[in-house]
Amino acid sequence: MKDPYSNQKNTYLPYTRGILPDELRLGSLYLDPYNPNLGLEKYRFEFKEKTLREERYWELITAWTGEPEVDDIEPYILRFQATTEWAAQAKIIDAANVGADKTKTRDVSIVGTHARRYQIKNVNRPEQFLRQQVLTQPDVKKWIADRLSISFYARWKHHRKTGEPWKAPSIWLVTGVHLISNGCVHSGWNVGLNVQGGANVDPGTLAGGTPTGRSAADVRGSRRENVQMENLYGQSGERVWCAQFMELAVEFTNGPGRNESQGWSTRLLPKKEIEVLQLRQVEDLGVSGVRRRVTSKESQSSSIDWKKHQAMIIGLQTTGHDDYEPTATTDDTTATATDRPDIEEPLSKMVVADLPYNQGLSARDWGTFEDYLAYLDYQN
């Protein structure tokens, strides 16, 4: 059976807990989108956190997103299917059941008073935003270059024990946030059974799913539909409950030759790039992350010229879409946020699922990455 998520682009990643808007900004860079509040500067580079207060941040973002899409008729219900891993973190199911039920999903609803969504629109707009707003921040290029140095090394360096190449984390850019006010997480959202009577009929006695004492109108806003839900927990105030990420599309050049079996190659013909970054040297740390002793003979005979290694950011990749073709402007001029207002497009239908992100983040070797990152930090 074909993977239903394979053709989804720009899917929103749902969170088990809402995140304060100022702690998950559009334009921020993450290695681990699942845990945006962990890792400090090691795993994230927050967008203009030191130079732009929250009010000014929203003004800047609106210039790129347009006015937000707003749902202000209460109640607002966001329904999606989450993997068992997500459900276990949200305490919808017991963590012990994840392994036995790994392939199945859980119906989840987040119910709030209202919602608004900010998403960078138009074909070229996210890449313009990356070039003009994200990459112009102080210290961001070094932050990216260090992590891409390790990613480049991971593409051709085989793991000492397994003989398989290890995977370093990719860099993800936040291009959309979905905020819900007073969100409550519910398990299930089975809709369809008509409820006869007034708005105060307790559908829990009919279907056994909705919390006792709550009417169908309370949950769904309709007197003729029964929504089966189990109210689990909630958070007051407006928070980011879903975020859209796009992975940096990067090509590495001037490596130690071509090796198809190791899954990488040196590109011969240049493409139009957004940014070219110089990579730093990453050496073999040996067993348990301890740097091995290199003899003078080994260092002199090395065929790798690290000074020529570059990472070229050529665009952004959409979640769950492998055949990426980077977009390009029609000339070499730098576009602004107000260029071509005639091509403003409405926001695409929102898709919420964590499975594409699971696939994109699978098999990442965080332990080895930590070792090499510590080594680069030590070099500083």
Side-chain angles (χ1 to χ4, degrees):
M1 181 177 178
K2 187 176 180 180
D3 181 3
Y5 297 100
S6 61
N7 294 323
Q8 291 181 359
K9 303 178 184 179
N10 301 342
T11 307
Y12 275 73
L13 173 67
Y15 287 104
T16 58
R17 292 280 177 178
I19 301 170
L20 293 174
D22 204 38
E23 295 181 359
L24 184 57
R25 292 183 169 190
L26 273 80
S28 295
L29 297 167
Y30 291 92
L31 299 181
D32 187 3
Y34 275 100
N35 300 289
N37 290 329
L38 299 178
L40 300 178
E41 67 274 5
K42 289 171 55 178
Y43 289 158
R44 66 186 183 186
F45 194 98
E46 295 184 350
F47 182 68
K48 298 185 183 295
E49 62 172 335
K50 297 179 181 178
T51 61
L52 210 60
R53 293 184 178 273
E54 187 171 1
E55 297 80 6
R56 288 283 298 116
Y57 156 73
W58 287 116
E59 292 178 10
L60 172 63
I61 288 302
T62 304
W64 292 87
T65 64
E67 291 300 316
E69 184 180 83
V70 177
D71 292 284
D72 54 3
I73 298 178
E74 189 175 349
Y76 171 79
I77 301 180
L78 177 68
R79 304 184 298 190
F80 59 94
Q81 289 186 322
T83 62
T84 51
E85 288 85 356
W86 193 100
Q89 292 178 1
K91 310 301 182 184
I92 293 176
I93 62 172
D94 192 286
N97 295 327
V98 172
D101 203 13
K102 191 173 183 179
T103 60
K104 293 186 178 181
T105 59
R106 290 294 184 274
D107 295 337
V108 178
S109 295
I110 301 177
V111 181
T113 53
H114 68 273
R116 56 177 177 152
R117 174 163 57 122
Y118 293 85
Q119 180 179 320
I120 300 175
K121 296 188 285 187
N122 293 338
V123 177
N124 292 327
R125 188 66 68 86
E127 290 172 339
Q128 293 175 9
F129 179 72
L130 171 65
R131 179 173 57 248
Q132 297 173 28
Q133 296 293 333
V134 178
L135 296 178
T136 56
Q137 299 176 95
D139 302 322
V140 69
K141 292 180 182 178
K142 181 184 181 303
W143 186 91
I144 295 174
D146 283 356
R147 283 139 190 86
L148 292 182
S149 299
I150 302 173
S151 297
F152 172 78
Y153 189 76
R155 289 173 72 89
W156 62 272
K157 182 63 181 178
H158 281 59
H159 195 283
R160 174 183 296 270
K161 295 181 180 179
T162 64
E164 296 295 330
W166 59 278
K167 293 184 179 181
S170 302
I171 299 176
W172 300 75
L173 172 69
V174 184
T175 56
V177 290
H178 188 70
L179 302 99
I180 300 176
S181 296
N182 306 315
C184 294
V185 175
H186 299 259
S187 174
W189 43 266
N190 186 17
V191 179
L193 178 64
N194 288 338
V195 179
Q196 303 297 328
N200 292 323
V201 172
D202 182 3
T205 60
L206 300 177
T210 308
T212 301
R214 299 197 65 183
S215 69
D218 291 334
V219 181
R220 183 65 176 83
S222 170
R223 298 186 180 187
R224 299 192 60 78
E225 287 186 298
N226 176 22
V227 181
Q228 301 175 41
M229 294 182 180
E230 180 186 0
N231 192 3
L232 299 174
Y233 58 87
Q235 290 175 289
S236 62
E238 186 179 49
R239 293 175 179 260
V240 177
W241 282 93
C242 306
Q244 179 193 86
F245 296 85
M246 297 179 74
E247 183 183 349
L248 264 62
V250 180
E251 287 197 356
F252 299 102
T253 60
N254 295 333
R258 184 179 181 88
N259 191 327
E260 295 289 353
S261 65
Q262 295 178 351
W264 71 276
S265 62
T266 299
R267 181 163 56 81
L268 300 177
L269 299 176
K271 291 182 180 179
K272 188 169 184 178
E273 66 277 342
I274 291 177
E275 187 69 36
V276 178
L277 301 175
Q278 191 71 41
L279 298 179
R280 300 176 67 192
Q281 181 176 359
V282 180
E283 296 183 12
D284 185 1
L285 299 183
V287 180
S288 301
V290 179
R291 183 183 177 187
R292 67 181 177 89
R293 180 174 298 178
V294 181
T295 65
S296 58
K297 182 178 180 180
E298 285 179 315
S299 61
Q300 292 173 0
S301 62
S302 174
S303 60
I304 302 176
D305 185 359
W306 288 93
K307 294 181 180 179
K308 294 182 179 180
H309 287 164
Q310 294 178 338
M312 290 196 275
I313 302 174
I314 60 173
L316 294 166
Q317 300 184 108
T318 56
T319 301
H321 185 52
D322 296 330
D323 301 325
Y324 169 75
E325 288 294 335
T327 57
T329 53
T330 56
D331 53 40
D332 292 330
T333 59
T334 300
T336 65
T338 56
D339 280 353
R340 301 192 64 186
D342 57 304
I343 62 172
E344 284 288 347
E345 300 173 354
L347 292 183
S348 59
K349 182 179 179 180
M350 185 176 178
V351 177
V352 181
D354 58 324
L355 183 56
Y357 291 96
N358 283 349
Q359 296 170 343
L361 293 168
S362 62
R364 303 302 176 190
D365 189 339
W366 293 98
T368 304
F369 177 81
E370 284 269 11
D371 289 341
Y372 283 97
L373 188 60
Y375 168 70
L376 290 180
D377 290 340
Y378 176 77
Q379 282 190 324
N380 292 331

